[in-house]
Amino acid sequence: MSAIFGVFSQRKNKNVFLRIYAGLYALQHRGQEAMGICLIENEKISEIKGRGLVSDNIKHDNKNSIGGYAGIGHVKYEYSDDDITTLPMPWQYYPDGKDQVIIAVDGKFLDDRDVEEIAGVLNGPIEKIPEYILNLKGAYSIIFAKKDMMIAIRDPHGIKPLSMGKVDSEIIFSTETCGITGSDAEVVRDLQPGEIVVVTKDEVKSLRAGNFTATPCVFDFVYTARPDSFINGTSVYRSRIKMGMELFEEAPVEADIVVGSPDSGMISALGFARASGISYEKAIVRNRYIGRTFILPSDEMRKKGVKMKLSPIRSLIDGKRVVLVDDSIVRGNTIKHVIEILKDSGAKEIHVRIASPPVIRSESLTFDVPSPEKLIANGKTVEDIREYIGADSLAYLSLDGLNKACGNGKFYERCFGGYDPFEEGDEDVN
């Protein structure tokens, strides 16, 4: 889970730094561990890279001293197997020994393909790229740039999102549409699965590697993507509302209030409340200066993180039958601590409803899901999980219900035990 953002101005007198800066801010939710920006100004490449947030690394002086007519930005979420000493992308190479290029990748390859090799191919003849990409297995999007060209690529299965935008002479590529709108540009369209878009000062042209059906990662709809984004033309916000509504249809319950676990469960909680007629209350306040807790390395750290992050409004909870809606349960520790907070605030009953199916398989291509032995749903029944987290009842949204909420398309569903094109022999070729 990370994000990339690229801009190529077809007029070389434009400075695209502030556009990239704004785009990365809009994509910050996809990676808070490190960030990088590289800009091209004819023969010169300048960069800003560092650990932490965009705001930790870009100061007022940077805004006035760095520039270029083309550039790529990257925000990074670290996988458990990442080398934390490696600088964030974009990375710079000299594939032909002369011209300097920059490249950033969101996602992973099944065969741990060398990024320098990919940069070399993209720096070569354009007509050879589709065959190479067709054989580059994984879930990824790529942005590559050199002084006279930018190339954007979406993987042949369309697992990773990548959209194109435009403003004046600037062509923009972003992991999510919110990056484009957040940088004050207009969304043009999503790239198709296996599409390769080549931008020069004179034209924008498209090539295609294969002819596959898009299978976007369904967890983007559940958790990863920002609510105001669209993926393959489908609103993430509307999908989350529908998840909550489907969840009520599948697992109704009598209660006094519906509460969303901040922030990932709040939209689905609103959908559950609308479908059920039960009052929706923002009964848990989130400290926005505390980051995501499910990725912290130990249970003790996650427990402390949850208590620092979430504060209950006792007057809304005391004596009430509460429906607690969350997006997913991975290890189970975080929601267990949330239930403890609600109980300490006087909740009479706590009924947990999860707006996705049980996470039963590890995942490393699209985001970092732990090994199976660390997944609470692996080898346990729903009743086992309910007892462990301390809820009065527990129900998950079915995979069919999730698919329906997201538009009844075909999705990459590995972590939920569903469709994975790399295990199905690429059967979704048209």
Side-chain angles (χ1 to χ4, degrees):
M1 187 174 75
S2 59
I4 52 178
F5 188 88
V7 183
F8 187 96
S9 174
Q10 294 179 299
R11 293 205 312 266
K12 288 193 174 183
N13 62 344
K14 293 293 291 288
N15 183 1
V16 302
F17 171 67
L18 289 179
R19 188 84 59 198
I20 297 174
Y21 173 71
L24 287 190
Y25 252 111
L27 296 169
Q28 187 76 86
H29 60 287
R30 296 189 77 98
Q32 297 98 42
E33 280 76 19
M35 60 77 58
I37 293 177
C38 285
L39 288 150
I40 300 173
E41 184 67 49
N42 295 317
E43 304 299 326
K44 176 187 175 184
I45 292 183
S46 52
E47 71 173 30
I48 300 174
K49 290 186 178 182
R51 304 286 300 173
L53 306 176
V54 174
S55 59
D56 295 330
N57 293 280
I58 298 179
K59 308 303 179 184
H60 182 74
D61 289 346
N62 299 135
K63 301 172 190 177
N64 299 320
S65 62
I66 188 170
Y69 57 83
I72 303 172
H74 177 237
V75 290
K76 181 180 182 182
Y77 161 75
E78 287 171 351
Y79 287 78
S80 57
D81 59 353
D82 279 353
D83 179 356
I84 63 171
T85 65
T86 302
L87 285 174
M89 294 181 178
W91 291 340
Q92 301 181 38
Y93 297 107
Y94 291 87
D96 59 5
K98 298 181 295 183
D99 295 323
Q100 195 170 7
V101 306
I102 57 176
I103 186 171
V105 178
D106 170 30
K108 283 195 171 185
F109 311 107
L110 287 176
D111 57 359
D112 294 323
R113 193 70 63 98
D114 185 74
V115 175
E116 185 172 8
E117 174 194 297
I118 298 170
V121 172
L122 300 185
N123 193 52
I126 298 298
E127 61 272 13
K128 292 187 177 181
I129 297 175
E131 182 178 359
Y132 180 83
I133 294 301
L134 190 58
N135 292 292
L136 186 61
K137 305 294 184 183
Y140 57 86
S141 57
I142 300 170
I143 304 177
F144 165 95
K146 55 183 179 178
K147 64 182 181 180
D148 58 355
M149 181 184 297
M150 178 170 280
I151 300 174
I153 301 168
R154 190 177 182 190
D155 69 79
H157 290 287
I159 297 171
K160 278 287 186 177
L162 189 63
S163 299
M164 182 167 65
K166 191 177 190 304
V167 58
D168 300 324
S169 64
E170 299 169 32
I171 307 299
I172 301 166
F173 300 99
S174 176
T175 296
E176 287 187 33
T177 59
C178 69
I180 298 172
T181 55
S183 65
D184 201 24
E186 181 181 349
V187 177
V188 175
R189 62 179 179 86
D190 293 315
L191 270 67
Q192 296 299 309
E195 187 175 5
I196 302 147
V197 178
V198 181
V199 183
T200 66
K201 67 180 182 65
D202 298 316
E203 65 176 347
V204 179
K205 65 178 181 180
S206 173
L207 302 85
R208 192 87 180 265
N211 189 23
F212 290 75
T213 300
T215 55
C217 178
V218 76
F219 207 70
D220 267 325
F221 289 93
V222 171
Y223 175 78
T224 313
R226 214 169 80 166
D228 55 331
S229 286
F230 285 75
I231 298 175
N232 285 15
T234 300
S235 164
V236 173
Y237 179 86
R238 289 302 308 165
S239 293
R240 290 178 186 169
I241 288 286
K242 291 177 181 177
M243 289 175 205
M245 297 178 78
E246 289 292 326
L247 187 53
F248 173 73
E249 293 300 321
E250 292 184 3
V253 64
E254 292 186 4
D256 302 306
I257 61 171
V258 177
V259 176
S261 185
D263 281 334
S264 54
M266 295 181 73
I267 300 173
S268 293
L270 182 57
F272 191 99
R274 287 181 183 176
S276 65
I278 301 170
S279 176
Y280 170 74
E281 298 287 356
K282 293 183 178 180
I284 303 175
V285 178
R286 179 189 169 193
N287 182 337
R288 297 187 178 277
Y289 297 96
I290 306 295
R292 289 175 171 174
T293 54
F294 87 95
I295 58 175
L296 293 175
S298 71
D299 180 44
E300 186 62 27
M301 290 177 68
R302 283 188 290 273
K303 184 174 182 178
K304 289 180 179 179
V306 170
K307 289 189 174 181
M308 292 170 62
K309 178 179 177 180
L310 303 178
S311 298
I313 301 176
R314 186 180 181 92
S315 61
L316 295 176
I317 300 167
D318 192 17
K320 301 290 178 59
R321 298 170 298 172
V322 178
V323 179
L324 175 64
V325 179
D326 208 347
D327 64 297
S328 60
I329 301 179
V330 180
R331 295 180 177 91
N333 299 309
T334 298
I335 198 163
K336 181 178 181 180
H337 302 324
V338 174
I339 291 170
E340 289 173 359
I341 289 172
L342 292 172
K343 285 184 175 179
D344 290 343
S345 298
K348 183 179 179 181
E349 298 175 5
I350 302 172
H351 302 278
V352 174
R353 295 296 181 266
I354 304 300
S356 64
V359 177
I360 58 174
R361 299 180 69 185
S362 60
E363 164 63 20
S364 62
L365 283 179
T366 58
F367 57 100
D368 204 14
V369 174
S371 55
E373 64 272 13
K374 295 180 180 179
L375 300 174
I376 191 170
N378 180 47
K380 291 185 174 66
T381 66
V382 172
E383 177 58 23
D384 291 336
I385 300 168
R386 182 206 64 76
E387 185 175 353
Y388 173 78
I389 64 176
D392 290 280
S393 71
L394 169 65
Y396 292 85
L397 182 63
S398 69
L399 191 54
D400 285 344
L402 178 59
N403 289 346
K404 183 178 179 181
C406 296
N408 280 324
K410 199 165 190 178
F411 300 98
Y412 177 75
E413 304 160 337
R414 176 182 165 81
C415 68
F416 300 129
Y419 180 70
D420 179 349
F422 304 112
E423 295 182 348
E424 299 288 336
D426 296 348
E427 292 178 358
D428 60 344
V429 180
N430 289 329

